[in-house]
Amino acid sequence: MTKKSVAAVKTPDVLSSSEYRGFWISFKNGEIEVGREHESMPFLHWKDKDPIHIHYFSFATWTDVIGKWLHSCEGDGEMQGDQPLSPLEYFNAEHKLQNDLMKGYSSQIRPLSNHNESLTVEMGLVVFYMDLRENESVFNVNGFLQIHWKDKRLAWNESHYEGLNILHIPSELIWKPQISLANSIDHTMNYMNAATHVTIMPGGVVLMIVPASFHALCEIDLRNYPWDTQKCSLIFYSYFNGGDRIDINLLYDTNPEYSLTTYKLIKNNQWHAVIDKAERVLTPDEMNYKEYPEIYFTFELKRKSPLFISTLFLPAIVTMIVCLLSLWMPPNCPEKMYMIISNMVVLFMYLAYLNYILPTNLEHQPTVVSFYGGTLLLVTISLLFTVITIRMTRLPKPTGMPYCLKKVIIGPIGTLLGLNWTGILISPTHKPLETLNGIATSFEHSQSSRHNEISSHQPDLEQFVVDSSSTGANMEWMVFALFIDRILFICYSFLFGILLSICF
C-alpha cells in the first residue's frame, strides 16, 4: 500500500494458506466494517467524517503477498455506493451498538452458553430511610438495590464503536435475575420489573440499580418498651432458581460491610440504627433438595426514649409515692380513700393509654404494662385494707384486741415498726383501758403520771383522729389498724422496689 492507513487492527492467523476463510465487508453512509463469516460483530471499523459516493471497490493483499479472492456483492445488481445518501440509519455509535447487541438477543434465556453452569449475581443495598411500625410488625426501608452480573452476549469492542465504553438501555430489553424479598408483606411485588435502566460495560458486565420502598415483616419484642431494641432483616433470594442456576452473593464478598451502605441515611425521630450488617446464608430446601443462597441485610434499631422518662417513668414514681403516703396517714382518716381512689384512676388511664399505643397481639407483655398493672393491683389491695381499718376504727368495739396481738405490738416487732409509744394506749392485760379526754388511760397509773406520758408522745398521738366518745377498746383497735398500715408500708416499699428494678 502506498497511502497511509486510516484504520488497522492486529488479526493473527485470520487467514490460511490451506483453506478459504470467509469475511464480510459493509460500507454505508461513510461507515466501513469488516468481520468474519458467521459473526455479527466486526473486528475492524472506520467512519469517514466526510463520506463520498463509492463507485468502485477492490480487494488486495499486502505488498509482495500473493492472494486469491472470491467475492459476491448484495444489492439488486447496483453498488450501494452508487445510491444517493439516505438519512442516517443510526443516530450515533450508541444507537448502533444497542441495535447490534439486540440482534438475536433473547431476554428469557440465562446468559450462559452451558446451561449446567451457575450464573453469579452480586448485590448490595443503599439505604436512605428506615422506619418500624410495631403495631403492624412492618419494617420499612427506602433505598435501592445494586445488582451486578455478566452477560457475554452484551460484550463489544470499544474500537468498533468510536471508543464507546458504556451503554445505558432500558432494563426490560435484557435478561434479569428474578430476585424477591422473602419476608415481604406483599409477595406480588416484583422489584426486578421496575421501570429502570441498566448500565453495561464492554466486557458484558451489567449493573442494575433498583430504587424501591421495601416493606418486610419483622418479629417485634416489646418486653423492654420503651427502652427496647428491635432486630429486623431484609431477606433477598431467587426462589425459582436455586444455587445451581443463580448464585447470589454480596457485592463485596471479601468485605461484606461495604455491601450495605447507610452513610446517606436520613435520621428517624423514633429509631436509631445501632448495628447493620450484610451476610450470605445458604438455606436448604428439603422438597427440591437444593440450597438457596439468601442475602440478609440486618438492622438493630434502638428506640429513642428521652420523652418516655417524663411520660412513663416519672408518673410511675409518683403513683408509688402517693400509695406509700396513703399508708402513712392516720388509719381512721377518710381522706386516705380519696387519695387511693385518685391513684387508681390515674393508673387506669395509663393502662388505657398503653393499650392504645401498643399492639394487642403481643407474645410477651411489656414490663411497663406489668408495672402499671402490678401497681394497680397493690393500690386496690391497699384500698381494701383501708376500708377494713376505717371500719375497724369507726365502729364502737365492746372488747379490745386479743391478748396475743397486744403482745406482738408491744413486743420487738412493734418496736421495729416504730410503735413502741403505743404502749400507753394498750392495756397489758386482757382488759381494755378506759378513756380520759379522748385518750385511753389505765387504772394502774395515776392520772398525773398518765398526763405526763401522754404529753411526751403528743406528736405520735396526733396520728389518731379521736373524740371524747372513743373507748379504750376502740383505741386498741386503732393501734392495730396503725400496725397493719406500717406492715403494708414496709411490704409495699419492698414490692415497689422489685417492680422498679424489673420493669425499668
Side-chain angles (χ1 to χ4, degrees), residues 319-332:
T319 55
M320 289 191 309
I321 293 175
V322 171
C323 182
L324 293 176
L325 287 177
S326 67
L327 297 174
W328 205 259
M329 295 180 67
N332 59 344

Side-chain angles (χ1 to χ4, degrees), residues 415-433:
T415 303
L416 184 64
L417 295 176
L419 299 177
N420 53 326
W421 58 271
T422 58
I424 62 175
L425 304 177
I426 298 176
S427 170
T429 64
H430 292 278
K431 295 182 179 180
L433 301 177

Side-chain angles (χ1 to χ4, degrees), residues 105 109-113 119 149-153 175:
Y105 187 92
I109 307 300
R110 285 188 308 144
L112 291 173
S113 57
L119 178 67
W149 70 92
K150 188 171 184 179
D151 192 337
K152 296 180 180 179
R153 299 172 296 178
W175 177 91

Side-chain angles (χ1 to χ4, degrees), residues 81-231:
D82 292 334
Q83 299 175 0
L85 285 174
S86 60
L88 292 177
E89 183 179 351
Y90 304 113
F91 182 73
N92 53 24
E94 187 173 346
H95 185 193
K96 176 175 175 53
L97 174 59
Q98 178 178 336
N99 187 74
D100 290 343
L101 293 178
M102 293 297 103
K103 288 179 181 178
Y105 187 92
S106 174
S107 61
Q108 306 298 321
I109 307 300
R110 285 188 308 144
L112 291 173
S113 57
N114 185 354
H115 69 277
N116 292 319
E117 294 180 357
S118 176
L119 178 67
T120 299
V121 176
E122 299 173 336
M123 64 182 301
L125 177 66
V126 177
V127 179
F128 294 139
Y129 183 76
M130 65 180 71
D131 189 26
L132 178 61
R133 303 198 306 263
E134 59 263 38
N135 284 338
E136 304 172 17
S137 299
V138 175
F139 178 49
N140 300 320
V141 174
N142 292 338
F144 58 80
L145 286 174
Q146 297 174 300
I147 305 176
H148 286 194
W149 70 92
K150 188 171 184 179
D151 192 337
K152 296 180 180 179
R153 299 172 296 178
L154 300 177
W156 74 90
N157 190 330
E158 300 176 42
S159 63
H160 298 166
Y161 297 92
E162 302 178 11
L164 186 63
N165 58 6
I166 192 170
L167 179 65
H168 301 279
I169 63 174
S171 61
E172 61 266 18
L173 297 179
I174 67 171
W175 177 91
K176 303 182 294 293
Q178 294 302 313
I179 298 176
S180 306
L181 182 62
N183 56 338
S184 174
I185 63 173
D186 183 10
H187 284 282
T188 62
M189 178 69 70
N190 191 337
Y191 300 102
M192 301 304 295
N193 288 339
T196 184
H197 279 63
V198 295
T199 301
I200 308 175
M201 305 301 176
V205 175
V206 183
L207 169 60
M208 183 176 181
I209 305 296
V210 184
S213 179
F214 305 102
H215 307 287
L217 295 173
C218 180
E219 186 175 351
I220 304 297
D221 185 359
L222 294 177
R223 280 178 288 187
N224 295 325
Y225 177 88
W227 293 275
D228 54 322
T229 300
Q230 305 297 335
K231 186 176 181 180

Side-chain angles (χ1 to χ4, degrees), residues 248-310:
I248 305 177
N249 213 328
L250 291 172
L251 190 59
Y252 301 98
D253 192 20
T254 55
N255 297 296
E257 63 274 11
Y258 295 145
S259 299
L260 177 58
T261 305
T262 58
Y263 69 93
K264 294 184 178 180
L265 183 65
I266 301 173
K267 292 184 178 180
N268 186 286
N269 292 330
Q270 188 176 3
W271 297 98
H272 171 63
V274 293
I275 297 177
D276 51 74
K277 64 177 181 178
E279 59 181 339
R280 178 178 182 268
V281 178
L282 290 176
T283 303
D285 187 342
E286 297 180 355
M287 296 182 61
N288 296 329
Y289 304 100
K290 296 180 180 179
E291 283 188 334
Y292 287 88
E294 296 179 339
I295 301 298
Y296 280 70
F297 297 108
T298 305
F299 304 84
E300 285 193 17
L301 307 177
K302 184 173 180 61
R303 191 188 301 271
K304 298 178 182 179
S305 54
L307 179 65
F308 293 103
I309 295 177
S310 300

